[in-house]
Amino acid sequence: MASFHLCTAARSLLKSYRHRAVLKTVQGLRVWELRDMYLCTSIAVHNSMEEILRKTVAPLSTYEMRDKSPPPPESNSMEFMHFYKSLEKEQKLEFLEKLSYDFGVDHRWASDLAAKLLDTQGREAATILQVEDRLRYSLTPRYRQLLTHISKVPGGVKFLVDLRADLIELKISDSPHMRDLNSTLKSLLSEWFSVGLLRLERITWQSPCEILQKISQYEAVHPVRNWTDIKRRVGPYRRCYAFTHASMPGEPLVVLHVALTEDIANNIQGIVREFSTLDADEDVNKINAAIFYSISSTQAGLQGVELGNYLIKRVVRELQSEFPHMAQFSSLSPIPGFSLWLQGALGQLKKEGRAIELLSEQEWREVEDVTGAVPGTPALEALRRLISTSEWIRSDRLVQALEPALMRLCAWYLYGEKRRGYALNPVANFHLQNGATMWRLNWQADTSPRGMANSCGIMVNYRYFLQETSTNSAAYLQNKVIKASEQVMGLVSQFQKNSKL
Amino acid sequence: MASFHLCTAARSLLKSYRHRAVLKTVQGLRVWELRDMYLCTSIAVHNSMEEILRKTVAPLSTYEMRDKSPPPPESNSMEFMHFYKSLEKEQKLEFLEKLSYDFGVDHRWASDLAAKLLDTQGREAATILQVEDRLRYSLTPRYRQLLTHISKVPGGVKFLVDLRADLIELKISDSPHMRDLNSTLKSLLSEWFSVGLLRLERITWQSPCEILQKISQYEAVHPVRNWTDIKRRVGPYRRCYAFTHASMPGEPLVVLHVALTEDIANNIQGIVREFSTLDADEDVNKINAAIFYSISSTQAGLQGVELGNYLIKRVVRELQSEFPHMAQFSSLSPIPGFSLWLQGALGQLKKEGRAIELLSEQEWREVEDVTGAVPGTPALEALRRLISTSEWIRSDRLVQALEPALMRLCAWYLYGEKRRGYALNPVANFHLQNGATMWRLNWQADTSPRGMANSCGIMVNYRYFLQETSTNSAAYLQNKVIKASEQVMGLVSQFQKNSKL
Amino acid sequence: MASFHLCTAARSLLKSYRHRAVLKTVQGLRVWELRDMYLCTSIAVHNSMEEILRKTVAPLSTYEMRDKSPPPPESNSMEFMHFYKSLEKEQKLEFLEKLSYDFGVDHRWASDLAAKLLDTQGREAATILQVEDRLRYSLTPRYRQLLTHISKVPGGVKFLVDLRADLIELKISDSPHMRDLNSTLKSLLSEWFSVGLLRLERITWQSPCEILQKISQYEAVHPVRNWTDIKRRVGPYRRCYAFTHASMPGEPLVVLHVALTEDIANNIQGIVREFSTLDADEDVNKINAAIFYSISSTQAGLQGVELGNYLIKRVVRELQSEFPHMAQFSSLSPIPGFSLWLQGALGQLKKEGRAIELLSEQEWREVEDVTGAVPGTPALEALRRLISTSEWIRSDRLVQALEPALMRLCAWYLYGEKRRGYALNPVANFHLQNGATMWRLNWQADTSPRGMANSCGIMVNYRYFLQETSTNSAAYLQNKVIKASEQVMGLVSQFQKNSKL
Amino acid sequence: MASFHLCTAARSLLKSYRHRAVLKTVQGLRVWELRDMYLCTSIAVHNSMEEILRKTVAPLSTYEMRDKSPPPPESNSMEFMHFYKSLEKEQKLEFLEKLSYDFGVDHRWASDLAAKLLDTQGREAATILQVEDRLRYSLTPRYRQLLTHISKVPGGVKFLVDLRADLIELKISDSPHMRDLNSTLKSLLSEWFSVGLLRLERITWQSPCEILQKISQYEAVHPVRNWTDIKRRVGPYRRCYAFTHASMPGEPLVVLHVALTEDIANNIQGIVREFSTLDADEDVNKINAAIFYSISSTQAGLQGVELGNYLIKRVVRELQSEFPHMAQFSSLSPIPGFSLWLQGALGQLKKEGRAIELLSEQEWREVEDVTGAVPGTPALEALRRLISTSEWIRSDRLVQALEPALMRLCAWYLYGEKRRGYALNPVANFHLQNGATMWRLNWQADTSPRGMANSCGIMVNYRYFLQETSTNSAAYLQNKVIKASEQVMGLVSQFQKNSKL
């Protein structure tokens, strides 16, 4: 029996690397005790889950007492957090399932009140509103309170963000209880991370090193290689903004990199590989356009909480106040997935024997000429190989020959390929939701190995016409209409003429 | 007809003092047009209320589209805010009533889903959870979304805090719709001002003047008279802490003043009127106790959102980390309302002819001796006059004579007088909810005119025994049990022996 | 003998209020011992002066060892500072005299090297330069080293600034040794407070309260009355700048207040008494001129160390970068001493029987009319009384009548009255040294009691034409030429026509 | 003639890369003009030197006018700075020589006043002091004023620091005029960078990235490799302090790295290569010693201006206030030059045929055994090779065998080898001047390639016994006495017994 209690304690002890008081206890044990403890931890963990949940998830107060109950002691929340952090991944899944299943809505209570609501039809407003309020309250999952309490202890909000990241990673979509837990948590996080509570910070070379290092690490779009690289991105003719939040000091939540240019930039090299102006003074007369060339969210647990679009809006406002005459706002965006999609399309066409449709006769001839391949399938094979190796970039002739075809294919990929009616490409989807216009495809815009591999070196500008963004956004979200420029529409119709994908 | 439209526009034009573009339009009108406009503004305002609400309070999306709808343009929220600010007080009431009545829960929808929920009894979890979620969503008042959108525009959160202050001031308790609006708003504010999102700031003489001036203005308990006064309160042997919030920069939400003393302070003069240590270095050996001598909330609109108790907890933690050996934490609190209650009680006793019970024979004799009054009613009258004028403070003999009686009366007032079972005195109620102990009444603790007038110069320490606060808090909130010291209980029982109030 | 030592110690003990270790020793003594100590402190102090100086003013190293000597222990400097601070004013004088007399230049050494220098005439450069360097070194007063060492301990620089303030206050001009000490100290302070080492800070309502309170206190020109007053002076359409220094953190050394106006301001009321724009946003289109309406030095000990002119220059640069099109820079300055000078002049004229010359016939008639005085002396008396009481300001007719006379008298006072060839009025002298132009006298520009009493309500603009300031400055300093506008010159020549002062 | 003027202008034009207005002029010229300009720049530069100096180095005012002269316009200083920066290295030398030779002391004036001083012997103090003051003034080099004016323009102080760095690099010791210029500049810099004017900053991971990058670059002792590396050095159990100066914001002048350890560290690996505590909380109970493991000056131009020793003193004070019970302060210092010295010594001994004296018989045997060399010269050769390649570190036996010999040789190198009587090793000299004790040699204390190459992996602790530092410092500086511990003295005497170097 004593051994059982030892077990119960063991797991959490062993895992509590940071809990010093506990560590000292562990150090006091003999080696064989530690081994025994280890052996029985699996059972122990299971049992302690039940125990921890029973202890820390307080029952919902009655409706009458809902504002009267004192908050549970903070130690409750601390214990929950501490325990959760000590779990392995599979154990977390088990634990969260228990939480969502055993501590959700009290269905009986809810249906009783639903019945009562039906009884009140035709009664006076005061009565109806009262019952509605009770019903609403009864539909609160019991764990919601726990989450709220956790948010109030130091480090609690960050803990919940990370817990939601776990939830998302655990792929919980087939459990309705887990989906409920996720959606409850998401809705709480949406309130806490509401844009009105965020702080816009401009990041410069004078910002704390801690924050600049994080921004370097988080930069996923165009990776930062070294100090000079990041110094460039916060230096002259550049702006870097981040949203931060009181509950996670020193932690940028979403980061936007902007280049200030004369015209709307048509390639990324000139932005991230250009160091000649590193120590220059900005010449305001050369600044006509703001190019959003990278936006990164840093917290997986805030998926679905709108931050990026609000950041773009705030930054536009900042830039307008700094440069009152600036009129051009545009992204310069990568097109992740285009090469993959293209390879898939080529494979499909080949299978269907329709490869010939892909390029014009003239274009095929060029490919054949340069690669020495014979027309038809071999030329297709040559093309696939070229694309998968990015080798064509070294031949000026191929670069010229492939441009029309790849550009119209890419335009189609962005504009025509859909998922549930919305743009398949996630970056496109993001900017279209924000109300941007699909404005210009740029050839040889990112010739880095990564850029070549992802999208044959093509990049795209999503342009923000400030007067139109809300209309565009609504049209896209509600009617799935994509606003695109003449250039893009031209490429799309060329594609449609050539291909019957 | 044109004139009607002129009217519709007029009111908002005339009120839009800050909206420059509009002002210019107004300046373009002839004088007689302005006069006409003025005449028709009453109707105009009424009509424009309807119009503004129709325009700015978007209908709730369908359940399926709830995450798909783009936020309405920010200008919507701005227009609502602008319009509301331009209203007179009575108009605000009318406007909010309209909002709460016409844009609340869709009762039909809710009862349909309630019926559906009853139908799903016994079905599988996924179905039940789905219907519950739909029902929960249907119970969202339509205006909730508007409030959320407002919170996202610059200045929006502050606007909502002020709007709720209006709601509270307007005394809306007899309208169920307005109560619902208030409670929806309060619950949103509770999320946004959750303690995890607040920033604790220590205020010092090096803090921005802006914040120190505000703290001086907000200090309601012991008013700040001048620069030296506020300098003292943030100087050596003092601490001043405030919670601030990202959405209201430079605005302290709740402020706690602490004195660091050798023993638990028994009077306020030594704290706010003592300047000898103004430029001293703190001697850590003389710091054994932390006295919370003033706590002020600054935002009427955050009534009911718990801030003060969290601030006390956080400050205790700060102080413990600065002074690891500090073991005494206590308030030194005013007793607003005691004198008023006492006068009432005296009046009542007199009416009932039981005045004699108030003091012991010996005490009556003293009063008679000093005032020259004859025993019985005239002595009572003398006593009432003495108390209402605070003149007894000038007579050492009276000070001595009245101490036992006033102290036991005051103890009873604090401990025995209740409202719905909780302490009648609001300061007592606050600290008891936080889990403090009613620890010591202090005679001649605040001899300022204000202190004399409020509570015959008596103050009270609510002491925080850190190990006991959660137990005390629960006992008080759930069972209405007041934890009090021997001193207090002794005074209470003396009172009970003497009086039969 | 023991008693003598007791004496020696006593004085410094008694004065060492801040030195706790010492205080405890004092507390250990009996009362009679303290009394005895007090009685013998005069002798003690005298003796300990000698002792302290001997101990703390190290002899100058030999020329060869001048870079080799380790600095004396910091405690030496601390002891000197501590001792000095404990002295009464007369004792300070005695002490500094001793220091300057006994620890100055070693005259023998200097004259030996002077002889040697004469011997080297015609020798090679290396030899001459060597002897010159030795001679230069030998001319270093021994106390210079002490001052340098003191500057290196915490609080040392501030101590020396205060010590120089004492020197200035003590009126030491008749002692050549004290003059030398003063000039040595001034030259050191000039290096330490060289403008390249100063930090320009813009003071706003968000600046630390500590600094704003100091600025309020230091404001001598137009006293600050309360929080709103100072808030106004750092609010919209105002700028407040200060120089600070690394060795005196939180201490503004010189403060410049600027008003941003449409035209060059002609009165002070509109600047310091106008609160309508307190919370306004600045409209950059209304900002055409920068008016320096107050400049205050805060450290008496930095007299003669140029700070104010550098501050004006730096602020002009700041303003030009904030408002690139701003072209008007001007002071709005008080004229301290004008009334006094005027009274003196009137007295003198009266004595000489030339009072009649002061005003034109027409002007005298007006005075007589209004005051009811008879022509001649009685009218003069009436005038003197009017001026000394400032009562004329209440009579529109007198205001009008006196304007021409007072304006031309004032113009003469500023332009024509000299001290050693430079402008007698110190404010004029300051701005003229800086290269400003005496630009416009303003009638009824400061109607505060102070303004009336000082200068009959007249103020003057010294305007900074940026292209001309260095030329003007050189012309003034080297040739005593005052640059003045037509308005001023016109008034001056009117004066000359009327008066023969 | 026109061509000559073209030439005069050309050089400065061509060099003025930063001067935009000028660049535009250049762009306006034809290509052949530019070529011609280039050809004549050598003459041009020479001529413009004269011109610039004549223009910018104002003559010294007369003694009477010395406080009356307005400063020359700032443009003068700017022109000088701009011109100087445009010069090539050899031209700088020429230019500075001109400056120092043509604009130094006015020898005639000085000797006239020297004669006058001799005439005043026996006259009254006032006269003597006056003449001395005039003499002192006459000994001011004319360029001193220029330097002072430059220090007052933005960027001027930094310019002078860099100019002095040039002076030092140009090896000017054989020109007496240049030595004078250098010493004048050094004395000015010593005033401006006096410790009382410096700001101590603690550098943390929250400090601006700009400053952390500079600190990484400047770290010469144990080079910083990457972000983690620098993060470690400002993280837990580490402190990093720097002095900064108002005139060079964001620029650390001297940087001290400190490790907080349980005992005085005996190797560097545990400090700069240990990352386990990177995110730990500091346990104050494990902090007993402060190890100064790196100190770097960043400004060559501040050579001879004492900063490092003051930084150590200030940091000791900071640490004492943070850790009141800390009693052990010590450096862990490299021994640059030991290996070089050792190789020299070995070569010398070999030449003199005394190699045998270096090691004991037993030690030679070990070397022979391990290397397979025969006794005598071949073993010596083997030893030299071992040391120059650092290969012995891989053989445990050699490590053990060589320890006694290398340790005693190193002790001698540090303690016995002198330059002008002071320690030859510059690091030793620095700490001994500061008053530290040569406390412990540590074997295998820096096994990095650099550490092995410099000093056979040996490092040394210079320990600061705070009570003794001033005595030690004086004894060292004045009498060249080195304070060393028993361990060091023991090794030294072992060396003396064995060797007769």
Side-chain angles (χ1 to χ4, degrees), chain D residues 116-135:
Chain D
K116 200 160 180 186
L117 181 61
L118 293 177
D119 286 352
T120 61
Q121 297 313 309
R123 301 275 291 280
E124 59 184 352
T127 313
I128 296 176
L129 290 180
Q130 250 269 322
V131 178
E132 282 177 355
D133 198 36
R134 283 170 180 270
L135 176 54

Side-chain angles (χ1 to χ4, degrees), chain D residues 275-320:
Chain D
F275 296 94
S276 68
T277 55
L278 190 49
D279 293 308
D281 290 333
E282 285 181 359
D283 177 355
V284 75
N285 297 312
K286 289 190 176 158
I287 296 178
N288 306 313
I291 307 304
F292 311 129
Y293 68 92
S294 172
I295 184 162
S296 310
S297 293
T298 69
Q299 307 295 315
L302 293 179
Q303 197 183 84
V305 176
E306 304 244 319
L307 296 172
N309 57 346
Y310 284 108
L311 181 56
I312 288 181
K313 279 181 197 167
R314 278 291 305 276
V315 166
V316 164
R317 228 182 288 148
E318 286 294 305
L319 292 170
Q320 282 183 316

Side-chain angles (χ1 to χ4, degrees), chain D residues 230-280:
Chain D
I230 183 68
K231 188 173 177 185
R232 177 76 209 89
R233 297 187 199 192
V234 297
Y237 295 110
R238 298 291 180 274
R239 292 294 180 276
C240 174
Y241 291 96
F243 270 146
T244 57
H245 191 258
S247 71
M248 291 159 70
E251 187 70 52
L253 303 177
V254 52
V255 183
L256 179 62
H257 290 273
V258 185
L260 305 174
T261 57
E262 292 203 67
D263 303 301
I264 293 183
N266 61 9
N267 74 83
I268 193 67
Q269 291 85 244
I271 293 175
V272 298
R273 299 277 179 276
E274 194 270 313
F275 296 94
S276 68
T277 55
L278 190 49
D279 293 308

Side-chain angles (χ1 to χ4, degrees), chain A residues 20 205-210 212-213 216 226-227 230-231 281, chain D residues 20 205-210 212-213 216 226-227 230-231 281:
Chain A
R20 295 189 202 146
W205 194 232
Q206 275 69 45
S207 298
C209 217
E210 181 176 31
L212 277 159
Q213 188 207 19
S216 295
N226 51 39
W227 290 67
I230 183 69
K231 187 173 177 184
D281 288 335
Chain D
R20 296 188 201 146
W205 195 230
Q206 275 69 45
S207 297
C209 218
E210 182 177 31
L212 276 159
Q213 189 207 18
S216 295
N226 51 38
W227 291 66
I230 183 68
K231 188 173 177 185
D281 290 333

Side-chain angles (χ1 to χ4, degrees), chain A residues 283-354:
Chain A
D283 177 354
V284 76
N285 296 314
K286 290 192 177 157
I287 295 179
N288 307 313
I291 307 304
F292 311 130
Y293 67 93
S294 171
I295 183 162
S296 310
S297 292
T298 70
Q299 307 295 316
L302 292 179
Q303 197 182 85
V305 176
E306 303 244 320
L307 297 173
N309 57 346
Y310 284 108
L311 180 56
I312 288 180
K313 279 180 198 167
R314 279 292 305 277
V315 166
V316 165
R317 227 181 291 148
E318 286 293 304
L319 292 171
Q320 282 183 316
S321 109
E322 192 179 352
F323 305 101
H325 302 301
M326 183 178 283
Q328 302 176 77
F329 297 90
S330 172
S331 82
L332 176 63
S333 302
I335 311 170
F338 169 54
S339 295
L340 211 66
W341 170 87
L342 182 57
Q343 293 284 3
L346 291 176
Q348 185 62 27
L349 283 175
K350 191 186 160 195
K351 239 188 262 165
E352 302 174 8
R354 293 163 51 215

Side-chain angles (χ1 to χ4, degrees), chain D residues 11 41-53 80 83-84 86-103 143 163 166-167 169-172 175 177-178 181:
Chain D
R11 175 68 190 176
T41 46
S42 302
I43 318 161
V45 170
H46 182 83
N47 288 333
S48 42
M49 278 186 190
E50 308 259 323
E51 205 181 306
I52 286 281
L53 289 173
F80 183 94
F83 181 82
Y84 181 81
S86 76
L87 298 177
E88 309 290 349
K89 187 152 296 179
E90 333 77 78
Q91 295 171 333
K92 286 182 176 175
L93 181 58
E94 184 189 345
F95 184 66
L96 293 174
E97 272 170 350
K98 249 184 230 309
L99 176 68
S100 68
Y101 198 91
D102 297 348
F103 300 88
Y143 51 68
L163 187 147
D166 290 346
L167 263 182
E169 198 194 343
L170 292 169
K171 309 224 180 297
I172 43 105
S175 154
H177 293 92
M178 290 289 260
L181 173 60

